[in-house]
Amino acid sequence: MNLHALRIFVEVARRGSVTAAADALSISQPAVSAQIRKLENELDIPLVAPNGRGISLTEEGRFLYEQASRLYDWEKDIESQLAEMKEGTKGRLRLTSTFLPSHYLVPQWLASFKQKHPQVVDIRTGNSQKSIERLLRCEADLAIITNEVWNDLPIQRIHLMDVRFWFIVPPTHPFAGREISLEELVQEPFLLREPGSSTREKLFSLCREHQVQPPQIGLQYHGLFESIQSVRAGYGTMLAPELAVRELISRGEVGQVTVPGIDIKRPLYLCLRMDASRQRPVVARFVETVLDFSPPRLYPL
């Protein structure tokens, strides 16, 4: 079907006049009439009939007008939505995050973002390795990651904050509230995250740095919340972020263990692909929202 002729037909049908349609389209009346005849010949059905100084629609013409009007209304809606996407006021945001920010920071950022922007946000949570892979495979527009080792990855990093990590044990454990050496602490069964977790790697790095044997694995979880709940329930020792356990410690639901000479602060980054030279507006607006909460420091490659 000739879409140019169809558009002219819709204008004629809407106005009920070839003359009015020609004026609206800034073309001649003969050109309008020729396009109507062309469309009728193509479809092999009559669409309009003379009616005084104007026209009337045949039954087939009314059907075509109703359907084509929906088509062009849809076109206008598409153009409007694309304009909104261009301005960053609409569009899908794909976010990947490690467990700590996903549970304790991202919700407040999204709440602030969604108050101003109606975008659909797709969030996927995983360990540092998985989150980096999703970003580099273009499965996510940005990533919020706690990680120290980056090698030569093509990622632009914006430092958001440093997160303190504490050792915790069940509240009735003999070590709760005490200062214990790392060598003695690692004799306890530990709750460890899965391979690929940067928290797991940080713990093993501390053991190498202080020349002690890594802890035995009591339980292994694929998630932060589950690990903390096991300690709270009475089993195991773990390295956990202060953001996640501060209130539990204050309520006496888990105990904190202090290790002399060890003060763990881990960096949290907002990450973007280096090859994304021009970020989509929706991504830029979310980055602005996050940075309103945290003064940034840029860490390029």
Side-chain angles (χ1 to χ4, degrees):
M1 184 184 298
N2 187 305
L3 295 182
H4 175 63
L6 181 63
R7 189 183 295 275
I8 292 176
F9 165 74
V10 168
E11 196 66 34
V12 170
R14 179 180 290 125
R15 298 178 182 277
S17 166
V18 170
T19 302
D23 290 342
L25 296 170
S26 299
I27 57 178
S28 68
Q29 293 182 36
V32 171
S33 297
Q35 290 297 325
I36 298 298
R37 288 194 298 271
K38 181 177 181 180
L39 186 60
E40 289 179 322
N41 292 334
E42 180 185 359
L43 299 175
D44 195 26
I45 52 174
L47 299 173
V48 300
N51 184 10
R53 294 187 177 183
I55 59 98
S56 63
L57 298 177
T58 65
E59 182 178 353
E60 295 85 357
R62 284 193 297 273
F63 171 79
L64 181 61
Y65 171 63
E66 291 172 359
Q67 300 303 313
S69 294
R70 292 170 58 190
L71 174 66
Y72 290 118
D73 287 344
W74 190 22
E75 177 189 35
K76 291 178 182 177
D77 182 61
I78 291 172
E79 291 175 347
S80 175
Q81 291 195 49
L82 285 172
E84 290 177 337
M85 292 173 71
K86 183 178 180 181
E87 295 300 320
T89 58
K90 197 163 191 175
R92 181 179 295 273
L93 175 67
R94 300 171 304 160
L95 170 66
T96 186
S97 173
T98 50
F99 290 94
L100 167 64
S102 179
H103 291 164
Y104 300 98
L105 295 170
V106 171
Q108 64 177 322
W109 298 339
L110 286 177
S112 177
F113 178 74
K114 292 290 285 183
Q115 287 174 5
K116 301 176 182 178
H117 310 296
Q119 284 88 350
V120 174
V121 181
D122 178 40
I123 310 171
R124 300 183 68 182
T125 302
N127 61 40
S128 298
Q129 180 180 329
K130 290 293 184 183
S131 296
I132 290 171
E133 288 174 356
R134 286 172 184 154
L135 181 65
L136 293 178
R137 288 200 303 259
C138 299
E139 295 176 1
D141 301 305
L142 57 86
I144 310 294
I145 300 175
T146 303
N147 193 44
E148 285 88 359
V149 180
W150 295 93
N151 299 320
D152 294 324
L153 295 174
I155 291 176
Q156 177 187 1
R157 293 174 284 127
I158 301 174
H159 180 262
L160 299 177
M161 64 184 71
D162 288 324
V163 180
R164 194 179 298 274
F165 275 65
W166 292 338
F167 289 103
I168 61 170
V169 293
T172 58
H173 194 284
F175 290 170
R178 293 179 53 195
E179 184 177 278
I180 302 294
S181 70
L182 182 61
E183 183 176 12
E184 188 175 2
L185 184 61
V186 295
Q187 302 304 313
E188 298 295 310
F190 261 69
L191 299 176
L192 293 182
R193 293 279 309 284
E194 75 285 358
S197 161
S198 63
T199 301
R200 177 189 178 113
E201 295 306 315
K202 179 63 177 179
L203 177 60
F204 287 176
S205 174
L206 278 173
C207 292
R208 291 192 297 270
E209 179 183 345
H210 291 269
Q211 299 181 339
V212 301
Q213 291 295 319
Q216 59 175 320
I217 302 176
L219 288 172
Q220 180 172 288
Y221 279 106
H222 288 255
L224 172 64
F225 180 78
E226 300 91 330
S227 304
I228 294 172
Q229 291 307 306
S230 285
V231 177
R232 186 183 179 195
Y235 178 80
T237 302
M238 70 174 290
L239 182 61
E242 176 192 2
L243 285 173
V245 298
R246 182 193 307 134
E247 291 187 10
L248 295 178
I249 292 172
S250 67
R251 295 197 300 262
E253 296 181 31
V254 298
Q256 181 182 359
V257 179
T258 303
V259 178
I262 294 181
D263 182 19
I264 304 169
K265 294 180 182 178
R266 305 194 57 215
L268 178 68
Y269 297 102
L270 186 154
C271 302
L272 302 163
R273 289 186 301 278
M274 291 292 287
D275 60 3
S277 57
R278 184 173 182 269
Q279 293 295 337
R280 292 166 48 231
V282 63
V283 177
R285 289 181 183 274
F286 183 73
V287 171
E288 290 173 3
T289 299
V290 173
L291 297 186
D292 283 342
F293 285 84
S294 306
R297 285 184 290 165
L298 187 61
Y299 286 74
L301 287 177

